[in-house]
């Protein structure tokens, strides 16, 4: 459209100029001679240029058509995958596990959030009780998005814990901890799993290095240390000896005092517990 307007403007300009001095162009090649006005010659040149440009544009569009169609299809698939992700997560919230997994699979690995698709499908599969499918989705997530490997492994640990696979979940978290991952989620989950398994020596080793647990809130750390001391006092050793190893501040803790009294009673020293 712009070129047509420019051509018309050029033709109009030439027409105005030709009123005063039309000029002429002579093309001679024996035995022929062609003589035309200068304005008509220039108008013809402009017209030929416009036609040539149009032909080139048509040829280029024809050549580029497959690529453009491919890009359009990719954008459409991308949009459909995003819509499938939103619909799939809506079904997850509603508790429709089979439908959620089916919808998420429609755009699996495509769209702007493939990681969310794989993790959502893994959660839906676990809710159906299909642990093999869950692990397959998580494996695909690691392959397609290695940049978020830590988030994938944390999700894997959460799913394993929810499924009652405590040993497997602990193994995942311990591997992350050994790799230097110090996210709060990893540390909090690992300490809680050690409590669930009553692995007090492992929890004590973990708490020995406060720097490794620096992201945990102080009240949570204090609670873990207190629980560890309670388990020590409830052990099979001499209650008096165990109590004597506590600091003065710890011996003023009512929770630890109660634990010591119970340990004395369990050891058959009720009179000592009463005086205490």
């Amino acid at each position: 459209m712009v070129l047509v307007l420019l051509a018309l403007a050029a033709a109009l300009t030439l027409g105005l100029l030709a009123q005063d001095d039309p000029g002429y162009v002579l093309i001679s090649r024996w035995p022929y001679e062609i003589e035309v006005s200068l304005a008509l010659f220039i108008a013809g040149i402009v017209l030929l240029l416009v036609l040539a440009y149009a032909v080139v544009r048509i040829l280029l569009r024809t050549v580029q058509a497959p690529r453009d169609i491919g890009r359009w299809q990719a954008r459409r698939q991308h949009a459909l995958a995003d819509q499938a992700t939103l619909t799939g997560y809506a079904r997850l919230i509603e508790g429709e596990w089979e439908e959620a997994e089916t919808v998420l699979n429609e755009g699996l690995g495509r769209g702007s959030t493939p990681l969310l698709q794989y993790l959502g499908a893994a959660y839906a599969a676990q809710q159906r009780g299909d642990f093999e499918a869950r692990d397959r989705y998580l494996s695909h997530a690691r392959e397609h998005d290695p940049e978020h490997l830590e988030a994938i492994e944390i999700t894997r640990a959460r799913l394993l814990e929810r499924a009652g696979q405590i040993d497997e979940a602990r193994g995942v978290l311990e591997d992350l901890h050994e790799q230097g991952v110090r996210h709060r989620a990893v540390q909090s989950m690992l300490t809680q799993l050690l409590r669930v398994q009553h692995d007090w020596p492992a929890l004590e080793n973990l708490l020995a290095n406060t720097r490794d647990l620096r992201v945990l809130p102080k009240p949570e750390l204090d609670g873990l240390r207190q629980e560890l001391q309670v388990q020590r006092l409830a052990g099979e050793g001499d209650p008096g000896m165990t109590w004597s190893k506590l600091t003065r501040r710890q011996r003023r803790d009512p929770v630890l005092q109660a634990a010591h009294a119970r340990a004395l009673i369990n050891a058959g020293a009720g009179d000592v517990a009463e005086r205490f």
Side-chain angles (χ1 to χ4, degrees), residues 22-38:
Y24 72 92
V25 173
L26 176 63
I27 301 174
S28 175
R29 181 171 180 81
W30 188 88
Y32 304 105
E33 285 188 357
I34 299 176
E35 181 178 342
V36 295
S37 67
L38 178 61

Side-chain angles (χ1 to χ4, degrees), residues 11-194:
L12 181 60
T13 303
L14 289 173
L16 293 174
L17 293 175
Q19 289 180 351
D20 299 330
D21 184 11
Y24 72 92
V25 173
L26 176 63
I27 301 174
S28 175
R29 181 171 180 81
W30 188 88
Y32 304 105
E33 285 188 357
I34 299 176
E35 181 178 342
V36 295
S37 67
L38 178 61
L40 181 60
F41 178 78
I42 295 176
I45 293 296
V46 172
L47 180 60
L48 287 175
L49 290 175
V50 171
L51 290 175
Y53 176 79
V55 171
V56 171
R57 287 285 297 176
I58 292 173
L59 291 176
L60 287 177
R61 295 299 298 176
T62 303
V63 172
Q64 295 174 351
R67 185 193 64 182
D68 294 339
I69 293 174
R71 288 179 176 177
W72 175 82
Q73 291 177 337
R75 287 194 298 269
R76 187 171 186 275
Q77 290 178 352
H78 192 281
L80 291 175
D82 286 345
Q83 183 59 46
T85 302
L86 293 175
T87 304
Y89 268 81
R91 299 292 86 81
L92 285 178
I93 295 171
E94 296 166 359
E96 302 293 340
W97 315 125
E98 293 185 2
E99 184 179 353
E101 185 177 355
T102 300
V103 173
L104 288 170
N105 267 284
E106 292 177 0
L108 205 60
R110 301 189 300 272
S112 57
T113 55
L115 178 60
L116 293 181
Q117 296 167 354
Y118 285 117
L119 296 184
Y123 180 77
Q126 171 158 302
Q127 293 300 104
R128 293 192 300 101
D130 191 344
F131 296 158
E132 182 178 347
R134 174 202 65 191
D135 295 337
R136 184 171 63 252
Y137 288 129
L138 292 173
S139 177
H140 289 324
R142 288 194 295 269
E143 293 174 2
H144 285 79
D145 199 345
E147 293 183 1
H148 296 95
L149 185 60
E150 294 175 4
I152 296 170
E153 290 301 286
I154 291 173
T155 302
R156 180 183 171 206
R158 290 188 186 278
L159 293 176
L160 289 168
E161 180 187 11
R162 281 176 170 267
Q165 298 172 289
I166 304 300
D167 290 336
E168 292 84 348
R170 175 179 170 178
V172 173
L173 294 170
E174 286 179 336
D175 287 343
L176 290 172
H177 190 77
E178 291 174 1
Q179 293 168 15
V181 179
R182 295 295 182 264
H183 295 311
R184 179 173 177 176
V186 174
Q187 298 179 4
S188 182
M189 289 176 61
L190 182 55
T191 55
Q192 294 306 314
L193 289 184
L194 294 177

